[in-house]
Structures are given as structure tokens and as C-alpha cells.
Amino acid sequence: MASRLRIPTSPRDEARMTLIEHLGELRSRIIKVAAVFVLAAIVTWFFRERLFYFLLEPAGGQFQDQKLVVTAVGEQFISDMKLALWAAFVLAIPVLLYQAWAFVAPAVGDMGRITTYIIITLASSLFLAGIAFGYYFVLPAGLQFLLFWDQGRYETMITPTYYLSFTTRFLLACGLVFELPAATYVCAKLGLIDANLLKKYRKHAIVGNTILAAAITPSPDPFTMIMLAVPLVIMYELSIVIARYVNPTTEVTAHELARTDDEDEPDYTDDRDDDDYDPEPHEENGNERDL
């Protein structure tokens, strides 16, 4: 009986089989994340009412005496479905991060189980901390500014589609922003960055964090922007500390490396007198060329 096992006869065939194996592993990990996400969505569906009122609290007393206005058929159901899926995504973040890291970890080398647990715990905790910070500090200030703006001329009528999309996207943005220390830990572990590099671009990072805070804050007032920009700067400084601990490169070492590079460069200077030295000798006659 002929065997169905295909033996690679060339490096190209072997690389092709390796690619197929990677795609199979990626498919397996995506299925695991999807299964966890679906189970989490089923659980969060039963808590959709609590989640709804939980997201209304940052608005203060705006919706105590009135309900959100529905302007389309089925908007209530779709809004609850999106809310349950958003909460399921937040719950599935640790599993998503673990499967993503487990897929890319073999390509960067064996870092050990403890390092994996540290990365997943750090990234998940920072993501939840970003959501909590946005919910308790930044989002209430922004909503108070926007919803109560000039009530003498405007009557506020908010739809659940707009309000829930606004709050959930903003909280997800805060969670992603707080992932900077975890990303720094991974990059420092791989040797891509160190504390000296982060210190060098500190001023650029402060300007970039301020622009990012102004872009994702829910209100245009400078107070809300500063409330988000300050934690971003703190996260960057924390990243410097993490990079120094994970990938220690002192300033003395950096100076020695720079000095070594300077010493390795060839010296083209010559001690001979410029008047006596001619880099291109002149030929007196055609016979010298033959010699």
C-alpha cells in the first residue's frame, strides 16, 4: 500500500509544509479564542440590563428622569447585542493575549512559562486599569461637559446606538493606551528597545501622548485632555523603568559602545607632509605605464 505521507524533496517543499503547519496552529488558536468569546457573550447577555445602567452612570443625572430615545425598529435589540459583545470582548482579553503570545513566542525564542504569565497578567491588568480609569475619571467629566452644554438652547435626546457606541469605544481606547508598559516589556525582552532609547525620545513621546489624549477624549475642553495626558506620560515613565529592569543598558555601556565604534573606523590620515605626498602619481611618459 502506497503511503500518503509526502516527504519534502527540496527546501521549498519543507518551507511550504512549515507554513501550512503555522496556518493550522493559527486556525486552532483562533477557534479557541472564538469559543471563549461566544461563551462570554452568552453569559454577558443575561447581564445586559446591568451593563446598560452601568454605562449610564458616568452621565450623572442626565438619564434619571428620561430614557434613551429609540429612532429605528430593532434598535433596542441591536444595542443590547452590541453591549453584550463588548463586555464579552473585555472578558476574553486574557485568553486573546495568551493565544496571540503563544503563537508568536516560538519565533522569538523560548522565554519560559513564568515570563509568559508575567506578560499576560501585566497586559490584562493594564487593559482593565485603563478601562477603569476612563470610566471613573475621564468619561464622567467629558459627558458632563457635552450633555449639559447650553441646555437653554438645546434639548438633549440621546439614542442608545450613539451613546453606547461612544462610551464603549472610548473605554476600549483607554484600555489600549494603557498597554504601553506591557508592549515595552515585550520589546525590551526581545532586545528591540532599552531605557536609553526611551529617554532619548522622551520629549517626542510627551508631545505624541498629548496629541493622542486630545484625539480620544470625549470632550474638547483642556481639563479632560490633561486628565488623560498625565496618565499617558506616567505610563511612558513606567515603561522606562521596565525597560531598564528587563534590558539593562547603562549610560557607561552605551558610551563604551560608541567609543568602540569610533575606534573601529579606519584612519585615513597620513603623517607625511602634504607637500611631499601626492595621492595620484603623474606619469612622465608612456613607458612608465608598461612598468
Side-chain angles (χ1 to χ4, degrees), residues 12 15 21 29 33 41 55 81 85 100-101 105 128 135 144 147 185 203 206 210 221 235 241 251 273 277 283:
R12 181 178 300 178
E21 292 177 357
R29 298 192 180 280
V33 174
L55 292 178
M81 180 67 71
L85 294 177
W101 174 252
L128 296 178
Y135 178 83
Q144 291 293 325
L147 294 177
Y185 181 90
K203 296 180 180 179
I206 293 176
T210 304
D221 63 297
M235 290 293 105
V241 177
E251 296 181 357
D273 190 4
Y277 176 68
E283 298 178 357

Side-chain angles (χ1 to χ4, degrees), residues 66-83:
Q66 63 177 349
K67 300 179 181 180
L68 298 182
V69 180
V70 177
T71 60
V73 178
E75 186 176 357
Q76 308 95 312
F77 175 77
I78 295 176
S79 298
D80 287 346
M81 180 67 71
K82 291 181 179 179
L83 184 58

Side-chain angles (χ1 to χ4, degrees), residues 164-187:
L164 294 178
S165 299
F166 178 84
T167 53
T168 53
R169 289 177 183 177
F170 174 74
L171 294 178
L172 285 179
C174 291
L176 293 176
V177 166
F178 272 59
E179 290 292 327
L180 180 60
T184 302
Y185 181 90
V186 175
C187 294

Side-chain angles (χ1 to χ4, degrees), residues 25 30 51 62 68 96 105 112 122 136 158 164 171 180 186-187 220 235 237 240 244 249 257 266:
E25 182 183 0
I30 292 177
L51 292 172
Q62 178 66 25
L68 298 182
L96 175 63
L122 178 63
Y136 288 106
I158 305 298
L164 294 178
L171 294 178
L180 180 60
V186 175
C187 294
M235 290 293 105
E237 296 297 329
I240 296 177
R244 183 183 297 112
T249 303
L257 292 175

Side-chain angles (χ1 to χ4, degrees), residues 43-211:
V43 174
T44 55
W45 173 257
F46 295 100
F47 295 91
R48 62 187 183 278
E49 186 174 352
R50 295 184 180 181
L51 292 172
F52 179 81
Y53 290 111
F54 177 76
L55 292 178
L56 290 182
E57 290 183 2
Q62 178 66 25
F63 302 109
Q64 289 183 356
D65 300 329
Q66 63 177 349
K67 300 179 181 180
L68 298 182
V69 180
V70 177
T71 60
V73 178
E75 186 176 357
Q76 308 95 312
F77 175 77
I78 295 176
S79 298
D80 287 346
M81 180 67 71
K82 291 181 179 179
L83 184 58
L85 294 177
W86 175 81
F89 176 78
V90 174
L91 294 179
I93 280 294
V95 179
L96 175 63
L97 294 175
Y98 177 80
Q99 295 298 333
W101 174 252
F103 179 74
V104 301
V108 298
D110 187 12
M111 291 190 178
R113 183 175 300 178
I114 297 179
T115 302
T116 300
Y117 290 157
I118 291 176
I119 293 175
I120 302 305
T121 303
L122 178 63
S124 303
S125 302
L126 289 173
F127 185 82
L128 296 178
I131 292 179
F133 178 81
Y135 178 83
Y136 288 106
F137 295 100
V138 185
L139 191 59
L143 290 177
Q144 291 293 325
F145 178 86
L146 295 175
L147 294 177
F148 293 94
W149 174 263
D150 203 347
Q151 290 185 327
R153 295 188 298 122
Y154 299 99
E155 182 179 359
T156 305
M157 298 180 64
I158 305 298
T159 63
T161 301
Y162 175 79
Y163 180 84
L164 294 178
S165 299
F166 178 84
T167 53
T168 53
R169 289 177 183 177
F170 174 74
L171 294 178
L172 285 179
C174 291
L176 293 176
V177 166
F178 272 59
E179 290 292 327
L180 180 60
T184 302
Y185 181 90
V186 175
C187 294
K189 198 72 176 178
L190 298 178
L192 301 177
I193 60 175
D194 54 19
N196 293 325
L197 180 64
L198 296 178
K199 287 181 180 180
K200 180 180 179 181
Y201 294 99
R202 176 184 278 130
K203 296 180 180 179
H204 303 78
I206 293 176
V207 176
N209 290 333
T210 304
I211 296 175

